[in-house]
């Protein structure tokens, strides 16, 4: 493998920080990743060298800033291999992307009795927006069930995707379990019935190569902050044909062509969906993060993280009374578990004292926790800068806590 | 002992721990030992749902003193509850309302009672005060 972890760790200044006097071991990457210096620099360069409101100015800085923002859009386009850069809509993140879609798509295409299909392992942000539409529009939300291993059960998919289904909206990868869902298969089934598919890629783009043309999904959404980019910037990819016939989301500046009190005409893509001043420092940061990830190589990242996953799974398995949640054949570097009847909060609190950051609780996926009949799990999720030594520390920390609880 | 004497006593006890691990072992121990919360009190109205751990609080009047009982599904949370009960339970509403819970900060557990901790403890402390206010009003009638 041609990656140098020591060098990569040096790229992330926060990894030098101490927590409770101990070196930081950060295993909460599925929640958000840290930022390499190049991303931090790119963002501060915006403010130090060319900050100006974009798209409207004739002056020099405005042009430079507009150029930087639009370059970032092209980087995103190439990153996920979209056909056009105007199919890339900048949002605040996955949550806003899904809400945008829930709003704009439903305006034109959803009516009472229609169904939207999600899965049992979705993040709340791919459940609640649709539940709001159940209230507002009388649609029905249905879900693909999972098995004990945390894999989708597709046995009844022909009934679940039926003539009332108007949209299928599925996570590419589960944030709580790491399961990689068979989205290609689901997209094919849905398309055979002319039903569009939205993929929640919040947990994917940082771990594996995504090609939206190859997947043929109609919409793909993700957040910058889980991809080593700043918080507050995210992406909605939509096929041009869909975006053109959808209603705008929010109204305001940027998204209009002409405004009069008699009526308003909307701007073309992508601006139709980008009301107001966009987060151009965020987009530039996202562009820099994409460059950074590509400089390491997604293949290398996937391979290294898989090694970490295998190592951690093996080491953790030796701990008495450990129960894993999410043991799918296809999964990314996320491990969810419980130790005996130790409450996740207690484990998380103690590990924190040792400088180890894990996530505990329901991971914004309560329906999934209900399926397993547990209040939550302890989740360790790995990123490109984590090491096997850190995993040893985690295992060691867990053993110490387990001893304490007898 | 007055409330403040008990607070001082707890601070004294905790000063014996040089290692955080000892402090937490102790919290776990007293958390495990905390008893007395009856099943019939495990009601929705007594539940404080933190994002991370759940806390149940019950209070009743014994003559002019408030007897608190509480429970949690997480042991560390329960350990801190045990300390709060030790300080506040068996006191009159006035004593409770006039007390600054300074020991929490002094033994280095303030973090656990910050609004961002979402373990239900801060809401529990507010709830305990509210009971004191309510019982005081009732007794004044
Ligand atoms: C699968 C999945 N979907 C959606 C989200 C929401 O992302 P954000 O909070 O960045 O909008 C997350 C983040 O936790 C996630 O993991």
């Amino acid at each position: 493998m041609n990656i140098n972890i020591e060098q990569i760790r040096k790229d992330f200044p926060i990894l030098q920080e101490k927590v409770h006097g101990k070196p930081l071991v950060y295993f909460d990457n599925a929640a958000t990743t840290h930022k390499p210096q190049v991303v931090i620099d790119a963002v501060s360069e915006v403010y130090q060298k060319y900050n100006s409101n974009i798209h409207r100015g004739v002056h020099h800085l405005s042009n430079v800033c507009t150029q930087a923002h639009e370059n970032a859009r092209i980087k995103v386009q190439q990153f996920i291999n979209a056909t056009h850069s105007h199919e890339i809509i900048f949002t605040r993140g996955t949550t806003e992307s899904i809400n945008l879609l829930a709003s704009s798509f439903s305006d034109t295409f959803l009516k009472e009795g229609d169904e939207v299909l999600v899965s049992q392992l979705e993040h709340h942000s791919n459940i609640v927006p649709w539940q709001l539409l159940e209230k507002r529009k009388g649609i029905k939300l249905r879900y693909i069930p999972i098995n004990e291993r945390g894999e989708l059960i597709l046995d009844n998919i022909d009934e679940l995707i039926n003539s009332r289904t108007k949209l299928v909206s599925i996570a590419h990868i589960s944030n709580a379990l790491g399961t990689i869902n068979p989205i290609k298969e689901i997209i094919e089934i849905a398309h055979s019935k002319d039903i569009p598919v939205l993929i929640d890629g919040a947990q994917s783009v940082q771990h594996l190569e995504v090609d939206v043309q190859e997947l043929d999904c109609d919409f793909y959404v993700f957040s910058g902050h889980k991809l080593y980019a700043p918080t507050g910037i995210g992406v909605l990819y939509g096929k041009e044909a869909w975006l053109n016939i959808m209603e705008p989301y929010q109204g305001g500046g940027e998204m209009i062509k002409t405004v009069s009190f008699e009526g308003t005409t909307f701007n073309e893509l992508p601006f139709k969906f980008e009301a107001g001043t966009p987060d151009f420092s965020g987009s530039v940061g996202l562009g820099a993060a994409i460059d950074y990830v590509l400089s390491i190589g997604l293949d290398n990242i996937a391979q290294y993280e898989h090694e970490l996953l295998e190592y951690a799974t093996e080491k953790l398995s030796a701990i008495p009374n450990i129960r894993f949640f999410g043991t799918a054949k296809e999964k990314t570097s996320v491990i969810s578990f419980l130790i005996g009847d130790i409450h996740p909060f207690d484990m998380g609190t103690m590990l924190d004292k040792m400088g180890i950051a894990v996530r505990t609780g329901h991971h914004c996926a309560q329906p999934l926790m209900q399926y397993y009949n547990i209040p939550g799990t302890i989740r360790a999720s790995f990123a490109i800068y984590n090491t096997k030594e850190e995993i040893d520390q985690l295992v060691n920390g867990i053993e110490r806590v387990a001893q304490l609880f007898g | 002992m007055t409330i403040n004497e008990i607070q001082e006593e707890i601070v004294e006890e905790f000063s014996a721990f040089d290692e955080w691990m000892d402090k937490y072992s102790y919290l776990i121990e007293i958390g495990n030992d905390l008893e007395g919360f009856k099943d019939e009190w495990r009601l929705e109205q007594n539940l404080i749902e933190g994002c991370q751990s759940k806390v149940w609080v019950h209070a009743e009047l014994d003559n002019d003193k408030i007897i608190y009982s509480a429970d949690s599904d997480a042991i560390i949370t329960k350990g801190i509850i045990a300390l709060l009960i030790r300080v506040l339970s068996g006191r009159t509403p006035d004593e409770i309302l006039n007390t600054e819970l300074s020991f929490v900060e002094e033994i280095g557990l303030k973090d656990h009672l910050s609004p961002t901790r979402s373990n239900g403890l801060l809401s529990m402390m507010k709830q305990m005060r509210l009971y004191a206010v309510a019982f005081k009003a009732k007794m004044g009638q």
Side-chain angles (χ1 to χ4, degrees):
Chain A
M1 197 181 333
N2 18 6
I3 55 173
N4 179 346
I5 292 304
E6 235 167 88
Q7 182 51 50
I8 287 173
R9 288 184 67 81
K10 285 198 191 117
D11 294 338
F12 291 82
I14 208 170
L15 297 180
Q16 308 307 318
E17 289 296 307
K18 294 232 157 51
V19 170
H20 304 304
K22 316 228 165 41
L24 167 67
V25 174
Y26 185 80
F27 286 151
D28 195 15
N29 294 289
T32 199
T33 55
H34 293 311
K35 319 306 169 196
Q37 191 65 49
V38 283
V39 168
I40 299 168
D41 288 346
V43 173
S44 59
E45 199 183 60
V46 173
Y47 294 115
Q48 287 178 16
K49 297 204 172 142
Y50 56 88
N51 172 58
S52 263
N53 208 333
I54 61 171
H55 292 143
R56 301 161 211 184
V58 290
H59 59 81
H60 175 72
L61 289 190
S62 176
N63 284 332
V64 175
C65 204
T66 305
Q67 200 50 253
H69 179 68
E70 291 306 322
N71 274 345
R73 198 188 303 276
I74 292 168
K75 280 181 187 168
V76 174
Q77 176 208 346
Q78 291 167 346
F79 183 59
I80 59 171
N81 195 31
T83 315
H84 308 288
S85 65
H86 59 251
E87 293 175 319
I88 304 301
I89 314 292
F90 283 125
T91 64
R92 283 196 301 124
T94 307
T95 303
E96 191 180 48
S97 296
I98 296 175
N99 277 280
L100 187 164
L101 206 81
S103 165
S104 292
F105 185 85
S106 71
D107 277 349
T108 318
F109 300 107
L110 294 182
K111 56 177 192 325
E112 197 175 334
D114 287 346
E115 293 177 6
V116 170
L117 181 66
V118 297
S119 85
Q120 202 166 9
L121 48 65
E122 299 304 318
H123 189 280
H124 294 164
S125 64
N126 192 27
I127 298 175
V128 185
W130 310 115
Q131 284 178 329
L132 292 175
L133 289 179
E134 287 190 305
K135 277 214 186 116
R136 268 185 220 138
K137 288 217 139 188
I139 68 153
K140 188 165 166 36
L141 181 63
R142 301 187 68 190
Y143 63 85
I144 303 173
I146 56 168
N147 64 25
E148 265 295 304
R149 291 191 301 277
E151 298 164 324
L152 301 189
I153 301 173
L154 296 184
D155 297 354
N156 288 328
I157 196 76
D158 278 322
E159 194 278 318
L160 286 168
I161 303 183
N162 58 54
S163 60
R164 293 178 303 278
T165 313
K166 291 290 147 49
L167 183 73
V168 177
S169 184
I170 301 283
H172 191 169
I173 293 170
S174 153
N175 67 308
L177 308 178
T179 313
I180 305 176
N181 291 322
I183 53 169
K184 187 122 176 61
E185 191 181 338
I186 294 170
I187 292 165
E188 271 167 23
I189 297 167
H191 282 181
S192 73
K193 304 181 183 189
D194 287 328
I195 297 159
V197 181
L198 159 64
I199 301 295
D200 172 356
Q203 296 294 337
S204 324
V205 285
Q206 62 277 46
H207 298 301
L208 44 86
E209 232 174 272
V210 170
D211 181 333
V212 291
Q213 290 190 65
E214 209 247 329
L215 284 173
D216 200 28
C217 55
D218 303 273
F219 305 98
Y220 197 96
V221 299
F222 62 92
S223 302
H225 69 94
K226 296 177 198 274
L227 174 67
Y228 310 102
T231 47
I233 189 79
V235 169
L236 162 66
Y237 156 81
K239 280 184 184 165
E240 179 183 34
W242 279 112
L243 294 178
N244 271 330
I245 53 176
M246 275 165 39
E247 291 294 314
Y249 177 46
Q250 294 174 328
E254 283 277 317
M255 52 79 71
I256 48 86
K257 198 171 265 161
T258 60
V259 177
S260 73
F261 283 108
E262 284 68 49
T264 290
T265 56
F266 300 123
N267 205 340
E268 58 209 32
L269 292 175
F271 310 113
K272 176 175 137 185
F273 291 104
E274 293 181 352
T277 301
D279 179 4
F280 50 78
S281 71
S283 62
V284 169
L286 176 57
I290 288 174
D291 285 343
Y292 180 78
V293 163
L294 293 179
S295 76
I296 299 170
L298 274 162
D299 279 353
N300 288 328
I301 292 176
Q303 194 187 334
Y304 179 66
E305 289 178 346
H306 189 73
E307 243 177 67
L308 292 178
L309 174 70
E310 298 232 297
Y311 184 80
T313 307
E314 186 197 319
K315 291 280 164 176
L316 287 168
S317 298
I319 297 176
N321 298 322
I322 192 163
R323 274 189 296 160
F324 291 104
F325 298 90
T327 48
K329 275 191 230 79
E330 299 288 330
K331 61 177 280 186
T332 51
S333 51
V334 171
I335 301 192
S336 249
F337 58 92
L338 287 173
I339 310 284
D341 52 12
I342 300 175
H343 197 285
F345 171 79
D346 290 325
M347 181 60 82
T349 302
M350 301 294 278
L351 290 175
D352 172 61
K353 287 281 166 194
M354 303 177 205
I356 302 169
V358 292
R359 179 133 303 227
T360 59
H362 53 62
H363 317 298
C364 296
Q366 286 180 7
L368 178 60
M369 299 300 128
Q370 286 149 16
Y371 168 81
Y372 285 116
N373 197 20
I374 50 174
T377 71
I378 303 149
R379 180 188 72 186
S381 53
F382 310 126
I384 185 62
Y385 39 68
N386 289 128
T387 65
K388 290 182 184 169
E389 290 73 38
E390 289 179 311
I391 291 169
D392 291 339
Q393 288 178 50
L394 171 69
V395 173
N396 191 290
I398 293 170
E399 282 170 344
R400 278 177 76 190
V401 178
Q403 262 169 17
L404 211 60
F405 278 79
Chain B
M1 264 200 274
T2 66
I3 286 196
N4 281 335
E5 280 164 356
I6 294 187
Q7 293 205 70
E8 278 162 31
E9 188 182 70
I10 292 173
V11 173
E12 179 80 23
E13 279 167 23
F14 271 74
S15 69
F17 307 133
D18 336 315
E19 271 248 28
W20 68 269
M21 196 78 169
D22 300 333
K23 186 155 86 184
Y24 278 80
S25 305
Y26 180 64
L27 283 177
I28 290 165
E29 192 185 310
I30 60 174
N32 273 324
D33 289 346
L34 181 69
E35 288 172 347
F37 197 84
K38 295 187 187 152
D39 270 343
E40 66 204 62
W41 297 334
R42 218 169 288 276
L43 304 169
E44 193 70 25
Q45 77 232 37
N46 290 335
L47 174 65
I48 296 163
E49 188 111 36
C51 195
Q52 295 281 344
S53 53
K54 291 179 180 171
V55 174
W56 288 267
V57 195
H58 171 82
E60 60 192 18
L61 215 48
D62 176 16
N63 292 321
D64 61 342
K65 299 198 167 63
I66 302 177
I67 307 297
Y68 292 106
S69 311
D71 196 7
S72 173
D73 54 350
I75 300 293
I76 293 173
T77 307
K78 236 174 126 171
I80 298 172
I81 288 174
L83 294 175
L84 289 169
I85 286 183
R86 183 167 148 202
V87 173
L88 295 177
S89 193
R91 302 284 164 180
T92 65
D94 274 330
E95 280 178 290
I96 291 161
L97 293 171
N98 292 331
T99 296
E100 278 281 335
L101 286 174
S102 54
F103 83 95
V104 176
E105 181 160 2
E106 285 176 50
I107 63 176
L109 293 178
K110 189 165 171 248
D111 220 23
H112 287 286
L113 295 162
S114 80
T116 53
R117 266 294 159 141
S118 62
N119 52 15
L121 276 169
L122 187 68
S123 311
M124 170 187 158
M125 271 170 52
K126 286 191 187 141
Q127 191 62 36
M128 288 171 103
R129 275 186 79 83
L130 274 179
Y131 273 121
V133 171
F135 282 130
K136 184 179 157 136
K138 204 166 147 195
M139 284 157 63
Q141 277 166 11

